[in-house]
Amino acid sequence: MGDSSGSASVSVDIERISFGGKEHLVRTKCGSVTVAVYGDEDKPALITYPDVGLNYMSCFQGLFFCPEAASLLLHNFCMYHINPQGHELGAAPIPSDVPVPSVDDLADQVADVLDFFILGSVMCLGVTETKYRERVIGLVLVSPLCKAPSWSEWLYNKILLNFLYYYGTRGLVKECLLQRYFSKKVRGDAQYPESDLVQACKSLLDEKQGENIWRFLQSINERHDLTDSLRKLQCRTLIFVGENSEFHEDAIHMTTKLDRKYCALVEVQDCGSLVTEEQPYAMLMPMEYFLMGYGLYRAYQLSSSPRSPLSPCCISPELLSPESMGVKLKPIKTRVPINF
């Protein structure tokens, strides 16, 4: 675990257009990362960390712009939004002599952030944290990766990374990245126009340094298999995945390896990897039932103070059934065990 005593930060009060809050520069053993903190720091901590080569605003603002999500998440948690190194808006290229971090280094960065803010056990959104599982009390995962890349995926990514390294985020490279993020429906075709969401993502990719995206995706392409560590994960886990996501198979595999008493899978129809952006409303009811297991409710339902430490109580699997989550009303389907 990182020692925060040697860490230093530069804190700047910045009213973020998207979320608000204060932004910190946190120095870790594997480089500096920016962390935007929003909310009452006496409340339980919710850590967000994007793992697709985009910054946190591009991955989570669709979810947090939903009023229902604000009443559920922002009311109960203090948010710590971590940006991967070099993914900040206006970030300069990372020097070529700086080593490319491994996936374990990325996990260490998250642990160093927890140490810096003196956080104990936390809830994680978008963070597949198994290395420091004793510090995670709950996981809400979005199109997660858990297996090492197959040879075909590794080779495809290597070709994409070479194009990205030499040509940046333009042309074919940009289209390949958009395919990783979004479904065909929102990317547009002869039948559907390109959505505003995809146009905004294109503009963001135009502004980003291709070398920085290359470094992060290089780390992800060299990931190792997490299957063995998943079997040791005892915290409650809620997994969202778009049925058109390139990582759909990983999400299914993860569900089969986790303890079925603590895990539920929500497959979102007509959606790509970024469920938080494409169909954030499909996430709200499953998340609400999931957090009820921790005694956390929307603002108007609050029956106990969210300032008390998270202490998960028993949550009935029936609460995560298709009927309870309103499958007939929302474009989602769930996989929840009936017998244990």
Side-chain angles (χ1 to χ4, degrees), residues 16 19-20 22-28 30-38 45-61 64 78-89 105-117 119 122-129 132 135-136 208 216:
R16 309 294 298 184
F19 298 150
K22 177 182 289 187
E23 192 164 276
H24 302 259
L25 180 65
V26 179
R27 295 174 184 169
T28 74
C30 306
S32 298
V33 296
T34 59
V35 183
V37 181
Y38 180 77
L46 176 63
I47 306 296
T48 70
Y49 186 90
D51 60 359
V52 292
L54 296 173
N55 60 35
Y56 75 92
M57 287 186 289
S58 302
C59 291
F60 299 111
Q61 77 172 359
F64 286 99
C78 180
M79 316 297 301
Y80 295 81
H81 301 292
I82 303 175
N83 266 326
Q85 187 177 17
H87 285 56
E88 311 85 354
L89 292 176
D105 292 334
L106 298 178
D108 290 341
Q109 286 185 333
V110 176
D112 286 345
V113 168
L114 301 189
D115 288 343
F116 177 82
F117 289 104
L119 300 175
V122 299
M123 185 77 69
C124 293
L125 172 59
V127 186
T128 311
E129 180 55 85
Y132 298 103
R135 303 191 67 172
V136 179
K208 295 190 69 173
F216 187 81

Side-chain angles (χ1 to χ4, degrees), residues 36-161:
V37 181
Y38 180 77
D40 184 347
E41 295 184 24
D42 289 331
K43 293 181 179 181
L46 176 63
I47 306 296
T48 70
Y49 186 90
D51 60 359
V52 292
L54 296 173
N55 60 35
Y56 75 92
M57 287 186 289
S58 302
C59 291
F60 299 111
Q61 77 172 359
L63 176 63
F64 286 99
F65 272 10
C66 296
E68 294 87 347
S71 66
L72 177 64
L73 298 177
L74 301 180
H75 178 76
N76 288 294
F77 295 99
C78 180
M79 316 297 301
Y80 295 81
H81 301 292
I82 303 175
N83 266 326
Q85 187 177 17
H87 285 56
E88 311 85 354
L89 292 176
I94 299 174
S96 58
D97 59 345
V98 175
V100 175
S102 66
V103 289
D104 285 334
D105 292 334
L106 298 178
D108 290 341
Q109 286 185 333
V110 176
D112 286 345
V113 168
L114 301 189
D115 288 343
F116 177 82
F117 289 104
I118 317 177
L119 300 175
S121 297
V122 299
M123 185 77 69
C124 293
L125 172 59
V127 186
T128 311
E129 180 55 85
T130 61
K131 184 175 181 180
Y132 298 103
R133 54 186 175 274
E134 71 279 359
R135 303 191 67 172
V136 179
I137 199 167
L139 286 173
V140 180
L141 305 177
V142 182
S143 302
L145 290 167
C146 69
K147 297 189 296 182
S150 64
W151 278 108
S152 57
E153 179 191 351
W154 184 88
L155 182 59
Y156 170 83
N157 287 337
K158 275 295 184 182
I159 295 173
L160 175 62
L161 287 167

Side-chain angles (χ1 to χ4, degrees), residues 6-312:
S7 300
S9 75
V10 178
S11 301
V12 182
D13 287 310
I14 301 176
E15 285 304 315
R16 309 294 298 184
I17 295 176
S18 56
F19 298 150
K22 177 182 289 187
E23 192 164 276
H24 302 259
L25 180 65
V26 179
R27 295 174 184 169
T28 74
K29 297 186 298 293
C30 306
S32 298
V33 296
T34 59
V35 183
V37 181
Y38 180 77
D40 184 347
E41 295 184 24
D42 289 331
K43 293 181 179 181
L46 176 63
I47 306 296
T48 70
Y49 186 90
D51 60 359
V52 292
L54 296 173
N55 60 35
Y56 75 92
M57 287 186 289
S58 302
C59 291
F60 299 111
Q61 77 172 359
L63 176 63
F64 286 99
F65 272 10
C66 296
E68 294 87 347
S71 66
L72 177 64
L73 298 177
L74 301 180
H75 178 76
N76 288 294
F77 295 99
C78 180
M79 316 297 301
Y80 295 81
H81 301 292
I82 303 175
N83 266 326
Q85 187 177 17
H87 285 56
E88 311 85 354
L89 292 176
I94 299 174
S96 58
D97 59 345
V98 175
V100 175
S102 66
V103 289
D104 285 334
D105 292 334
L106 298 178
D108 290 341
Q109 286 185 333
V110 176
D112 286 345
V113 168
L114 301 189
D115 288 343
F116 177 82
F117 289 104
I118 317 177
L119 300 175
S121 297
V122 299
M123 185 77 69
C124 293
L125 172 59
V127 186
T128 311
E129 180 55 85
T130 61
K131 184 175 181 180
Y132 298 103
R133 54 186 175 274
E134 71 279 359
R135 303 191 67 172
V136 179
I137 199 167
L139 286 173
V140 180
L141 305 177
V142 182
S143 302
L145 290 167
C146 69
K147 297 189 296 182
S150 64
W151 278 108
S152 57
E153 179 191 351
W154 184 88
L155 182 59
Y156 170 83
N157 287 337
K158 275 295 184 182
I159 295 173
L160 175 62
L161 287 167
N162 283 337
F163 276 102
L164 178 60
Y165 183 84
Y166 289 106
Y167 300 107
T169 54
R170 64 185 68 176
L172 178 62
V173 174
K174 184 187 296 183
E175 292 303 317
C176 290
L177 291 174
L178 292 173
Q179 288 179 21
R180 294 171 69 98
Y181 306 148
F182 303 111
S183 66
K184 184 177 180 180
K185 185 174 181 179
V186 298
R187 295 200 310 272
D189 54 22
Q191 185 177 0
Y192 300 102
E194 186 177 75
S195 70
D196 294 340
L197 176 63
V198 173
Q199 292 177 16
C201 188
K202 281 185 173 181
S203 298
L204 176 70
L205 290 173
D206 288 337
E207 297 172 4
K208 295 190 69 173
Q209 299 290 340
E211 301 95 323
N212 296 354
I213 300 177
W214 176 86
R215 289 170 55 87
F216 187 81
L217 294 181
Q218 176 76 8
S219 302
I220 299 300
N221 199 41
E222 300 298 330
R223 67 188 183 274
H224 52 77
D225 196 307
L226 298 178
T227 299
D228 290 339
S229 58
L230 289 175
R231 296 189 178 98
K232 302 174 184 177
L233 195 64
Q234 292 298 315
C235 69
R236 302 182 187 280
T237 305
L238 178 60
I239 303 173
F240 293 94
V241 64
E243 68 172 359
N244 302 130
S245 170
E246 294 184 1
F247 314 125
H248 183 270
E249 184 179 336
D250 273 64
I252 302 298
H253 175 78
M254 177 177 284
T255 306
T256 64
K257 301 304 178 183
L258 289 169
D259 190 325
R260 296 188 300 170
K261 292 185 289 185
Y262 301 108
C263 174
L265 172 68
V266 179
E267 297 173 271
V268 184
Q269 299 176 6
D270 298 323
C271 190
S273 298
L274 291 183
V275 182
T276 49
E277 295 295 298
E278 274 198 63
Q279 297 194 36
Y281 282 98
M283 301 178 62
L284 296 176
M285 194 172 292
M287 289 181 63
E288 186 169 359
Y289 284 123
F290 178 75
L291 293 177
M292 283 181 185
Y294 297 88
L296 301 176
Y297 302 85
R298 291 193 198 181
Y300 65 84
Q301 296 176 320
L302 188 63
S303 60
S304 61
S305 171
R307 295 172 181 268
S308 59
L310 290 174
S311 53

